[in-house]
Amino acid sequence: MTNEPKSIDLLRFENVTAGYGKRPIVTGVSFSIARGEFLGIVGPNGSGKTTLLRTLLGILHPKEGRIEFPSTHPDVPVMGYVPQRDTIDLLLPFTTAEVVMMGRYRRIGLGRRAQQKDMQAIDCALEQVGMESFSGKQFRDLSGGQKQRTLIARALASEPEILILDEPTNGMDIASRQTLLELIQSLHASGALTVVMVSHLLGDVANCAQRIALIDGGHFTVGASAEILNETNLSQIYGTPIAVTILNGKTIISAGGPNARH
Amino acid sequence: MHATEIITTIFDLFPFALGGSIIAAILCSHIGVYVVSKRIVFFGAALTQIAVAGIAFAHLPFVGLNPAIGSALFTTLAAILLSQILRNPRIPRDAVLGVSFVVAIALRILMIQKSPAAEASEIETLSKGDILFVTSEQFLLLAGAFIVVMAIFIFFRKEFLFVSYDPETAQTQGFNSRWWELFFFVTAGIAISVATRIVGDVFVLGFLTIPPVAAIAAAKRVRHIFGIALLLSLLPPIIGMYGAFALDLPAGPTMVAAAFLLLVLGWGGRRLRSAFASEN
């Protein structure tokens, strides 16, 4: 018997086909995510980003191929999921702390009540996202950016190995968007947290992620940001001229091509 | 009849009717908090009709089942079926519930039509809400269902709330949303079936919706919703029973009317209070 070192790959997709019912949406997906990595998933609307995300989260089963978790085998790593905030029903008056507490439910156990350590965990998660002074406020009364921070705190409260964010900056003003992206980057940098972020906002992903996965027409490509998010690739996929500019170290992606800037 | 005479008569002659209606009201309003917050009120409406159809089915000459079993069988099957169909994102939830409601009513009419005259009239009486003649056996069955269902809902409160509030994230946290939804639908279905058999469909649907709607509107915290719904289910059966005697009305609908009256009074009171507050 050999003592093989544990792989640093947190998860590995091997030739996965994902979809609904009998309909495949994305096919032949093969990639791996290393521990501590930041992967961005981009693609036009309807390209299958959410389908792939739901498969990664275990909500959908792969139609073909397999998903492995080499570093935690046979267990699935704890995933902290941050859904789009408009998918949350606001009818019930949950407080911010109660929403974050939901992230502890798995650790608390079936039919059990929260303990002191769970209370400390939610205080800590709220502090990490700068929402500690909002713990008693109703979630439905928070602004879009505050709601998103609360949902990130809920994911952090589950003590995840991988943080998965679905369109986290959707519908936010420019200042809230920037603050949120900085928060996500600092969480990734400080805690060796593996992050997967899905977004249709190419600039957001280009400036945060170490690697980019691009989905288009059911096909899937993974690589470094510069390799994937170049003008030729993007113009072809989106069917319109797209300009990629580097300004003060930031990638700016705009529709209209180089001529549109003049 | 004087007020004291009415009260004495109710307590002396109809203790099971009064106790049963209070228990049924608390049970229905607790389940109703989930039904209203999941936006599936038609689920409650459809299941009450399916429960009555099940009772009518049990009375059919060639079936000869115990009506409680017929009702429980129909509602459990319907709850399982609905929990699966409602997960299909391609079919609107309200459309599924609307179809099931109207089919349940049609089924109920057809079953009653084919039932022997005596049983058909008993079922119609149940639908009208003449709940005065609740027997001790029926009361015990209802009390048993109350204890079991409430224990389940209190023990698994956080799981039911999480799956209702954000099923997708709950799924990623290891809670199998499909099974929790099925568990909820079947447990609620059994409670609705037992309560409908004893206090009637109008009563059950009334208490599945009116106290929860009032409680959700009034509460500032989720944990308060259940407490307010409980308080709002205690008074209407007593007021309704008194009103039914005093005015010679069917008890079930009078209790529902009393619950609605409380809802209107509460809403009016809040409006007045906020009007005075803004003037000062």
Side-chain angles (χ1 to χ4, degrees):
Chain A
M1 203 172 92
T2 54
N3 281 330
E4 276 186 50
K6 277 202 164 184
S7 165
I8 59 158
D9 279 349
L10 197 56
L11 66 89
R12 199 179 288 152
F13 272 53
E14 283 184 10
N15 206 23
V16 168
T17 296
Y20 298 93
K22 289 180 179 168
R23 198 162 59 101
I25 307 286
V26 273
T27 54
V29 178
S30 294
F31 72 103
S32 57
I33 302 175
R35 231 174 231 288
E37 192 182 4
F38 194 140
L39 178 79
I41 301 178
V42 295
N45 290 336
S47 58
K49 298 189 292 292
T50 303
T51 309
L52 190 69
L53 188 80
R54 290 166 65 87
T55 310
L56 169 62
L57 287 164
I59 297 167
L60 291 176
H61 294 293
K63 308 190 83 51
E64 279 175 30
R66 57 185 184 166
I67 304 170
E68 291 179 343
F69 306 100
S71 67
T72 56
H73 182 79
D75 300 323
V76 175
V78 179
M79 299 190 190
Y81 174 48
V82 183
Q84 294 186 35
R85 64 181 186 283
D86 54 9
T87 60
I88 306 282
D89 196 324
L90 302 176
L91 182 67
L92 295 182
F94 282 106
T95 63
T96 302
E98 285 169 340
V99 170
V100 177
M101 184 57 88
M102 289 173 188
R104 299 291 302 170
Y105 283 178
R106 193 214 315 238
R107 291 187 184 275
I108 292 170
L110 279 185
R112 292 172 187 268
R113 301 277 168 250
Q115 306 291 310
Q116 191 59 35
K117 64 176 180 188
D118 301 304
M119 303 296 183
Q120 286 165 351
I122 64 164
D123 287 344
C124 178
L126 282 167
E127 204 179 315
Q128 274 183 284
V129 300
M131 287 291 290
E132 60 273 33
S133 56
F134 293 88
S135 66
K137 285 237 157 67
Q138 284 187 19
F139 178 76
R140 62 187 179 189
D141 293 339
L142 301 178
S143 70
Q146 289 165 344
K147 282 196 184 95
Q148 202 66 59
R149 281 168 176 273
T150 306
L151 295 178
I152 292 175
R154 181 176 70 173
L156 294 175
S158 67
E159 298 173 34
E161 290 167 281
I162 178 164
L163 184 67
I164 299 170
L165 304 112
D166 188 8
E167 305 277 4
T169 54
N170 216 2
M172 279 189 190
D173 63 51
I174 194 162
S176 311
R177 202 169 119 194
Q178 186 53 35
T179 320
L180 193 77
L181 289 173
E182 283 168 9
L183 169 69
I184 295 167
Q185 280 176 300
S186 73
L187 287 172
H188 173 244
S190 65
L193 193 62
T194 308
V195 179
V196 174
M197 183 167 100
V198 171
S199 181
H200 68 278
L201 301 167
L202 300 172
D204 287 1
V205 178
N207 290 308
C208 292
Q210 295 159 323
R211 277 198 310 153
I212 307 282
L214 176 68
I215 309 176
D216 176 52
H219 299 294
F220 185 85
T221 329
V222 191
S225 180
E227 188 187 316
I228 301 288
L229 299 180
N230 59 54
E231 291 182 352
T232 318
N233 242 353
L234 295 176
S235 301
Q236 194 181 348
I237 287 164
Y238 286 88
T240 185
I242 288 181
V244 180
T245 320
I246 310 290
L247 191 66
N248 297 331
K250 292 261 178 196
T251 306
I252 297 164
I253 300 174
S254 52
N259 295 334
R261 293 200 299 272
H262 301 296
Chain B
M1 218 183 214
H2 287 105
T4 45
E5 273 181 278
I6 292 175
I7 293 167
T8 316
T9 311
I10 290 170
F11 278 99
D12 286 351
L13 299 180
F14 305 104
F16 294 124
L18 182 64
S21 53
I22 290 173
I23 288 177
I26 295 171
L27 182 62
C28 291
S29 63
H30 192 90
I31 295 169
V33 171
Y34 294 95
V35 169
V36 173
S37 64
K38 284 160 100 67
R39 299 169 199 270
I40 51 165
V41 168
F42 256 107
F43 164 78
L47 280 201
T48 54
Q49 298 309 311
I50 288 164
V52 178
I55 296 166
F57 174 78
H59 279 307
L60 289 176
F62 55 89
V63 177
L65 258 180
N66 181 323
I69 294 173
S71 168
L73 193 70
F74 266 51
T75 44
T76 306
L77 286 176
I80 292 171
L81 203 63
L82 280 174
S83 73
Q84 300 309 303
I85 299 171
L86 286 172
R87 293 183 64 83
N88 188 339
R90 286 164 184 246
I91 311 170
R93 285 190 138 204
D94 56 348
V96 172
L97 294 170
V99 168
S100 47
F101 178 63
V102 78
V103 169
I105 289 183
L107 205 62
R108 164 197 158 154
I109 293 168
L110 293 174
M111 298 279 186
I112 292 174
Q113 193 69 33
K114 289 292 174 191
S115 293
E119 280 82 0
S121 119
E122 185 197 317
I123 299 162
E124 292 291 7
T125 304
L126 177 71
S127 295
K128 268 194 272 172
D130 285 337
I131 59 177
L132 292 182
F133 300 102
V134 174
T135 63
S136 59
E137 288 80 14
Q138 287 177 325
F139 176 81
L140 286 175
L141 176 67
L142 183 61
F146 175 84
I147 291 167
V148 172
V149 173
M150 288 298 280
I152 289 172
F153 274 88
I154 290 168
F155 192 71
F156 295 118
R157 175 179 290 183
K158 74 176 194 302
E159 287 80 10
F160 279 131
L161 279 173
F162 193 14
V163 172
S164 300
Y165 182 67
D166 188 355
E168 197 153 90
T169 306
Q171 178 88 30
T172 68
Q173 288 287 308
F175 298 97
N176 187 326
S177 296
R178 180 183 283 258
W179 285 107
W180 279 103
E181 289 265 302
L182 180 64
F183 187 32
F184 167 79
F185 276 74
V186 170
T187 313
I190 288 169
I192 288 171
S193 140
V194 173
T196 304
R197 167 88 180 92
I198 295 165
V199 293
D201 54 344
V202 175
F203 180 101
V204 170
L205 186 54
F207 283 88
L208 273 177
T209 49
I210 298 171
V213 165
I216 288 171
K220 297 258 188 287
R221 293 283 182 269
V222 171
R223 61 176 179 272
H224 297 164
I225 292 175
F226 294 99
I228 296 172
L230 171 82
L231 290 176
L232 291 176
S233 348
L234 288 175
L235 267 184
I238 300 167
I239 300 169
M241 186 74 97
Y242 181 89
F245 264 86
L247 305 168
D248 192 21
L249 295 168
T254 314
M255 291 174 187
V256 173
F260 180 67
L261 193 67
L262 281 183
L263 172 74
V264 172
L265 286 174
W267 178 76
R270 286 185 69 180
R271 297 277 294 183
L272 275 176
R273 212 170 47 205
S274 52
F276 277 123
S278 60
E279 266 183 28
N280 297 326

